[in-house]
Amino acid sequence: MTEGGGSTEGRGATASSPERGSRPERRSPGVRANETVVPVLHCVDPEATIAFFRAIGFEVTYDQRRPYLYLALRWSGFDLHFGRPPKGLDPSMEHTGGCLVMVDDVAAYHAAITEGMRRTYGKVLGRGLPRVTRYRPGASRFTLMDPSGNSLIFIQRGEPEEVEYGGSPDLPAFARALDSARILRDSKTDDLAASRQITSALRRRGDQATDVERATALAMLVELSTALGDHEKAAKLLDELRGIALTEEERRVVEAELRHADDLRRWLGEDTGE
């Protein structure tokens, strides 16, 4: 599991059916392909769990504390159940458990969840536990982390089944590093690793890059620094970026990347200062 809870686990989950052998499928009488599966997740703090899920639109359909813990929650067309965690479970490790939620319009679910957070907490919970990972236009998934460290990965139906790893060998070295960082940021939601990748590329190959490539790398780092909460670094990167002379067309390319950072600050409920 990567930082942000948005690991690539679950890739291939959109496949229409598992690979089968040559033998025809055999089912026992009464077994029909209309099952309903309800995940039962660990719950470290029942009150915090109920408060959080209610904030984003869930209803509590069952709440038992004795003789053992069992919670049932429902939202839209799916249910989540929770039980007592194993002894010594540390939610901060974010290895608690989780499930995949296949949906038709992943952007709409992200919007509904963030709206609930703003309504209840006055801001989007983008760091720590609980939280939701940011959603960039065109993305096919995002991750919701609950107070106990469980991850709910919302996935767009029809998401490509082949995993894109980025870093195509057909690209020049610097562009390849930026492409790999894009995958770390967007698919794995590992902002720290993406930031390190770009920083290393600038240090080792920055002199081989074009002005627009270096400017794009700096703009990507501005957003990543914002996501990581390092606003001082983001401000320094902006100053460095302003020192690069770009054509009007090149500036438009870089400004498109910078808008993601600006959108992220607004999404987190922070003053952009720009």
Side-chain angles (χ1 to χ4, degrees):
M1 182 70 66
T2 63
E3 195 285 325
S7 73
T8 53
E9 293 174 13
R11 289 287 178 182
T14 56
S16 57
S17 62
E19 187 174 340
R20 304 181 188 276
S22 57
R23 291 183 301 174
E25 181 184 9
R26 299 178 63 183
R27 286 199 183 104
S28 299
V31 175
R32 302 173 61 190
N34 62 350
E35 299 87 355
T36 298
V37 178
V38 178
V40 180
L41 306 176
H42 295 310
C43 175
V44 174
D45 185 336
E47 297 300 336
T49 295
I50 288 176
F52 171 67
F53 280 101
R54 273 181 169 159
I56 60 174
F58 281 76
E59 63 173 318
V60 178
T61 58
Y62 191 75
D63 183 348
Q64 175 182 291
R65 309 298 174 91
R66 295 179 185 277
Y68 57 88
L69 173 68
Y70 202 88
L71 306 177
L73 297 96
R74 178 178 298 147
W75 180 50
S76 187
F78 71 97
D79 296 87
L80 296 176
H81 291 191
F82 294 85
R84 182 180 294 124
K87 186 177 180 180
L89 176 67
D90 183 358
S92 67
M93 297 298 292
E94 300 185 1
H95 291 163
T96 307
C99 63
L100 308 179
V101 185
M102 308 300 182
V103 299
D104 291 333
D105 185 352
V106 72
Y109 282 79
H110 191 272
I113 289 169
T114 54
E115 180 184 350
M117 288 182 175
R118 286 195 180 95
R119 185 171 55 247
T120 304
Y121 305 108
K123 63 178 182 178
V124 173
L125 305 180
R127 303 188 184 98
L129 289 176
R131 71 175 181 277
V132 64
T133 58
R134 66 193 186 278
Y135 177 81
R136 294 168 63 92
S140 60
R141 56 176 59 198
F142 70 89
T143 300
L144 180 70
M145 300 296 297
D146 80 355
S148 297
N150 294 298
S151 61
L152 280 66
I153 306 177
F154 287 76
I155 302 175
Q156 179 87 30
R157 286 195 179 94
E159 177 188 69
E161 295 178 15
E162 295 297 323
V163 181
E164 183 192 1
Y165 291 102
S168 170
D170 297 331
L171 294 171
F174 190 82
R176 184 163 65 248
L178 295 189
D179 195 43
S180 295
R182 173 183 61 83
I183 295 299
L184 287 169
R185 179 193 65 190
D186 295 348
S187 295
K188 298 186 176 181
T189 60
D190 192 341
D191 295 328
L192 184 58
S195 178
R196 288 172 174 168
Q197 174 99 13
I198 298 172
T199 300
S200 174
L202 283 168
R203 184 179 65 251
R204 297 171 57 193
R205 300 187 176 92
D207 58 343
Q208 305 168 17
T210 64
D211 286 343
V212 70
E213 285 177 331
R214 286 191 298 114
T216 300
L218 291 171
M220 291 175 70
L221 282 176
V222 168
E223 189 206 19
L224 290 166
S225 298
T226 301
L228 293 167
D230 193 342
H231 301 296
E232 183 178 350
K233 180 179 179 180
K236 290 179 180 178
L237 290 164
L238 275 172
D239 286 339
E240 185 177 351
L241 178 57
R242 292 187 183 104
I244 300 177
L246 299 172
T247 66
E248 185 175 345
E249 182 177 349
E250 290 172 338
R251 189 175 293 108
R252 281 197 293 268
V253 173
V254 176
E255 285 175 349
E257 190 66 46
L258 277 178
R259 277 195 293 275
H260 291 305
D262 201 36
D263 290 344
L264 175 60
R265 284 190 286 266
R266 291 194 182 94
W267 182 68
L268 291 170
E270 300 169 352
D271 185 4
T272 64
E274 294 295 324

